[in-house]
Amino acid sequence: MNVAIIGTGYVGLTTGVCLAYIGHSVLCLDTDLSKIEALQAGKIPIYEPHLEDLLAEAQRNLRFTTSYSEAIPDADVVFIAVGTPPTASGSPNLEYLSQAAQSIGEHLAGEFTVIVNKSTVPIGSGNWVGAIVRRALEQRQGRKANGAFGIASNPEFLREGVAIGDSLYPDRIVIGSDEERALEILYTLYRPVLDQTFPAPVFVPRPEDKGAVPLVSTDLASAELIKYAANAFLALKISFINEIGQLAERVGADIREVARGIGLDSRIGSRFLSAGIGWGGSCFGKDTAALVATASEYGLKMPIVEAAREVNCRQRDHVIEKLLQELKILKGRTIALLGLAFKPNTDDLRESPAVEIAQKLMVRGARVKAHDPIAMDRFQREHCHLGVELCPTVEATVEECDAVVLVTEWTEYREVDWEALAPAMRSPVILDGRLILDGDKLSRAGFRYIGIN
Ligand SMILES: NC(=O)c1ccc[n+]([C@@H]2O[C@H](COP(=O)([O-])OP(=O)(O)OC[C@H]3O[C@@H](n4cnc5c(N)ncnc54)[C@H](O)[C@@H]3O)[C@@H](O)[C@H]2O)c1
């Protein structure tokens, strides 16, 4: 099938490369010329493990452009994967979505094209996109645009850092449309993934127990709500364990043991039960805010989702409180942050806890040094105004520091020789924001170890 992908960010690019890999002819479009030029040269503008390898394998089915007139007319399916960043009110900014819909409408020429919202968009956006496309198309044609296109929703559930595995071997695929023809076309498009008939790439092998992928084929509004409900549920699972963590600390319980004890219950499950600094990233904060905002348009409150958001904010304040307890005064202190990306294996800094913690520390007059294995270049580009000192190694970061905060659970931080580092610090205090370090071992190495829960 001929596929056009609008937006080559974390979602659009992964989707485009994976669809090309399974055999479709894919044209990826972005308005950012520098991204398209990099991609045309075979370079990936983001950090996502194995995406560049897969791009090389899928190259014969994949092209990149900034031109809507090149991408849209021949496409059977057009995916919209532009950003929907949060606004101050909690509702997502739909400006990019509206521009993409307008441009699609201006260039649509096929007999029937399925236009798919892959961006996470508020419930009702499918109809809204349809109206924009229709208006633009009718203006261009000077006549009614009946039957020229169908609107669908195909929410994306990939996780940055393991995006290829999530796209090729997903837990499920959700498609939603009020038009049967659009659903049939999407079913055909995804058939190789649903039936797992494509040859697995050697660098991201198929999980041994992977069977057929369940398809949830539903109406437009349900598909749109599924995405928000899924993210809200994951976010509240993390906030739940963090809320229990606060009590665990008061009563002297070990939150890791508590999480293990409840997670082994198959009704609960152990994933997303890691206590710590809490969630960050471009989705959970934005999507929970959007869910609350959508509900309020209907006169509804979402107290559970709101509480999950509140607990998450509290976790970041907790880091500052703990540092104040230990150091009494933050003014003039030097604090090391290990990890800047919002989670390991990505360079994504959107709503990263590290950025907020750095800001809070600097407001209190502290000097902040930081390290990240991958995200430092991006941090330099996007947050250089903060005045955080970036260091090339963990050793250089913790040197002469009054405390170190482990913010992101990169594997290499688990393997640090802390014993060797303690003497280089002004005071060997470590706040483990992800509860991944061995507290007893660190205490023996001379550290004051504090877990954040
Ligand atoms: N990142 C994730 O892990 C993830 C997971 C699931 C869903 N989502 C959702 O997917 C959507 C995209 O997220 P992302 O992280 O890939 O965003 P991103 O910011 O990385 O990428 C968006 C891209 O769209 C491009 N763009 C903007 N306006 C355009 C236009 N009019 N025409 C063509 N290109 C345009 C931008 O230049 C950018 O490259 C969002 O709605 C997000 O909530 C993201």
Side-chain angles (χ1 to χ4, degrees), residues 59-86:
Q59 219 163 23
R60 66 182 185 287
N61 291 335
L62 197 53
R63 285 175 300 140
F64 298 97
T65 184
T66 55
S67 159
Y68 274 89
S69 57
E70 191 184 344
I72 304 301
D74 294 333
D76 301 305
V77 181
V78 178
F79 282 97
I80 304 179
V82 298
T84 49

Side-chain angles (χ1 to χ4, degrees), residues 288 292 300-312:
T288 50
V292 170
L300 277 179
K301 280 199 177 310
M302 294 240 144
I304 296 177
V305 181
E306 287 187 54
R309 291 173 55 76
E310 205 179 300
V311 169
N312 200 55

Side-chain angles (χ1 to χ4, degrees), residues 6-13 29-32 35 46 68 81-85 95-97 99-100 103 118-121 156-160 227 231 282-283 286-287 342 348 350:
I6 312 300
T8 59
Y10 291 89
V11 166
L13 186 56
L29 179 147
D30 205 291
T31 43
D32 184 337
K35 275 191 185 178
I46 53 172
Y68 274 89
V82 298
T84 49
E95 182 191 338
Y96 306 110
L97 185 71
Q99 285 163 1
S103 306
K118 201 171 233 326
S119 298
T120 303
V121 290
E156 180 55 64
F157 302 103
L158 66 75
R159 295 162 298 166
E160 288 173 20
K227 174 62 192 174
N231 270 3
S282 67
C283 292
K286 166 175 82 73
D287 295 349
F342 84 93
D348 198 341
R350 290 176 286 185

Side-chain angles (χ1 to χ4, degrees), residues 338-358:
L338 293 186
L340 291 166
F342 84 93
K343 67 173 185 176
N345 298 318
T346 181
D347 61 348
D348 198 341
L349 295 162
R350 290 176 286 185
E351 293 204 33
S352 169
V355 175
E356 194 180 327
I357 291 167

